[in-house]
Amino acid sequence: MFQAPKGTRDILPPESDRWQALVATFAEVFGQAGYGLVQNPMFEDIGVFQRLGEGTEVVRKEMYDFLDKGDRHLALRPEGTASVVRAFNQHRPTVPWKVWYLTPCFRYEEPQAGRFRQHHQVGAEAIGSADPDLDVEVIGLQHDFYRAIGLSRLSLRLNSMGSPGDRQAYAEQLAVWLDRRLGELDEADRANAVNHPLRVLDSKRERTVAVVADAPLIIDCLSDEAAAHFDRVQAGLDALGVAYEIDPRLVRGLDYYTHSTWEFAAGSLTSAQNAVGGGGRYDGLAEALGGKPAPGVGFGAGIERILLAADAEDALTETARGVDVFVVDVAGGDTGRDLTFELRRNGMSADRAFDARSMKAQMKVADRSEARFALLVGPDEMAAGTVTLRDLRSGAGQIAVARADVVAEVAARLESE
Ligand code: HAM
């Protein structure tokens, strides 16, 4: 028997109800703010993702790439932003282009709790404006989304990577500094210290963490323009009442960031996999992908981790809802078949049992469906042209209703609740 591949999982009801509620909340929060849904292909020319930067693990080690039957070198998307920016370059929409997405992401990582080879993100991108108030809008909406699904134990870390020039100058300064301390770093981080110095700041290895504690900080190297951008972002978050902490060592795992970068962490999750969403500005990415220069800002948030955090905080629990009506037919099945559809076509949720089972067996299914009302049809009802209506919640007995009136009767009762 086959199993789902390592690092992937099936999302089944009722867990998928919570998933849908999460996505609906995301669509609502971002829809209200003028963001439209964007759907991109699940795979792209591998070059699209290589522009994320050779310094990132995602590109160097984790890509699911393949040759198709026409010998094109393609890759499954490891994240959402590169495809959205590629689509922006291709279609040249009016700016700012504000979009949101829901996408699986594929990364060949070592699976563990909260870390998958196929995970899913909801995310948003706003492209074509360098206004720091757009950073504030995106961060503020991300914050409000978590709040709307009931998460409260979250912290937000914020940093600035400066302008592309600041970032480059800082990386060079850091490389020189790391070179002097090379022998003290954990061996596994030494190659990065030479080739991708910023990545060393991400390291969780004890020896390295101790060394980089005194490394120069990017926020001490910001140009006036980048410092003003960062100030405006902080002022905006203060005005919105979004709490944050400046973390000058937050560099994040992707190479395209400039100016604001941030990450939300869930206090209810263990620290290794507690990031429930991160983002930043990527003012050079459109150009790196062959388009005209276009600044952009956005974030991605991992659905699996948000649901883990929701479990821990008892949030998103109100999603399972029984059907309005369950139809039980032990008189041949025609009424059961037709009445469920009549109810549905009149705007009610309705379900039924199959396989011509006994009254007792069908009532068991009705109970499991948590239906508000049951409609029962047996030989007596068939003879009388009626349906028996039973209130399953109040247990207040049952009444006979003429078959022709029963849909209106149930609708009226549901209406009056
Ligand atoms: P990221 O930080 O790589 O950023 O991923 C965003 C979020 O996806 C993480 O905070 C986490 O919640 C979730 N996530 C990442 N990897 C995994 C995994 N292996 N298993 C489960 N969840 C995971 C990005 O992907 C950027 N595209 C975000 C962005 C958008 N920046 C600007 N715009």
Side-chain angles (χ1 to χ4, degrees), residues 371-401:
R372 179 74 188 81
F373 297 104
L375 294 177
L376 314 174
V377 185
D380 293 348
E381 283 87 354
M382 284 301 270
T386 60
V387 173
T388 296
L389 168 63
R390 190 181 288 176
D391 186 328
L392 293 180
R393 203 168 302 158
S394 72
Q398 55 188 41
I399 56 164
V401 183

Side-chain angles (χ1 to χ4, degrees), residues 160-360:
S160 170
M161 302 304 294
S163 66
D166 299 344
R167 185 188 163 113
Q168 181 62 27
Y170 171 69
E172 282 163 19
Q173 185 187 342
L174 184 65
V176 171
W177 188 90
L178 287 170
D179 187 53
R180 287 203 302 267
R181 316 277 302 259
L182 210 57
E184 296 165 56
L185 298 176
D186 190 294
E187 243 184 292
D189 290 314
R190 289 182 199 162
N192 267 349
V194 178
N195 301 320
H196 309 292
L198 291 175
R199 287 279 77 77
V200 178
L201 298 180
D202 275 343
S203 174
K204 304 266 187 314
R205 298 184 184 96
E206 231 168 87
R207 287 185 62 182
T208 303
V209 171
V211 175
V212 300
D214 333 307
L217 300 174
I218 178 108
I219 47 173
D220 296 329
C221 311
L222 297 182
S223 55
D224 290 349
E225 171 242 336
H229 185 105
F230 196 34
D231 285 346
R232 178 75 190 171
V233 171
Q234 292 172 60
L237 294 176
D238 292 340
L240 293 182
V242 174
Y244 60 89
E245 179 196 316
I246 304 229
D247 179 353
R249 282 184 194 79
L250 176 74
V251 290
R252 302 209 1 89
L254 296 156
D255 276 352
Y256 49 58
Y257 292 116
T258 56
H259 296 286
S260 312
T261 52
W262 66 88
E263 207 156 86
F264 281 87
S268 53
L269 299 182
T270 55
S271 66
Q273 253 59 250
N274 66 354
V276 289
R281 246 191 195 282
Y282 42 84
D283 290 351
L285 186 58
E287 221 176 337
L289 285 167
K292 291 201 185 121
V297 61
F299 73 91
I303 296 184
E304 288 83 357
R305 291 195 196 166
I306 296 172
L307 290 178
L308 287 171
D311 280 341
E313 289 204 39
D314 242 348
L316 271 182
T317 50
E318 298 293 306
T319 53
R321 209 178 56 90
V323 290
D324 295 325
V325 193
F326 196 95
V327 183
V328 172
D329 182 340
V330 287
D334 289 1
T335 310
R337 179 192 62 202
D338 302 342
L339 190 48
T340 41
F341 262 90
E342 260 178 75
L343 291 158
R344 292 166 186 162
R345 287 174 174 169
N346 281 280
M348 285 163 270
S349 58
D351 205 354
R352 49 164 293 195
F354 292 91
D355 301 315
R357 299 170 70 191
S358 69
M359 169 70 98
K360 197 169 154 211

Side-chain angles (χ1 to χ4, degrees), residues 111-188:
Q112 45 185 289
R115 183 175 290 280
F116 304 96
R117 290 189 172 165
Q118 176 176 337
H119 74 275
H120 298 78
Q121 291 185 15
V122 280
E125 313 289 350
I127 306 177
S129 164
D131 191 333
D133 285 1
L134 206 50
D135 309 30
V136 173
E137 173 168 295
V138 167
I139 300 171
L141 292 170
Q142 185 183 0
H143 167 272
D144 288 358
F145 154 66
Y146 294 128
R147 277 290 151 89
I149 60 174
L151 295 182
S152 55
R153 293 178 54 200
L154 291 185
S155 58
L156 167 60
R157 288 183 302 144
L158 177 69
N159 193 15
S160 170
M161 302 304 294
S163 66
D166 299 344
R167 185 188 163 113
Q168 181 62 27
Y170 171 69
E172 282 163 19
Q173 185 187 342
L174 184 65
V176 171
W177 188 90
L178 287 170
D179 187 53
R180 287 203 302 267
R181 316 277 302 259
L182 210 57
E184 296 165 56
L185 298 176
D186 190 294
E187 243 184 292

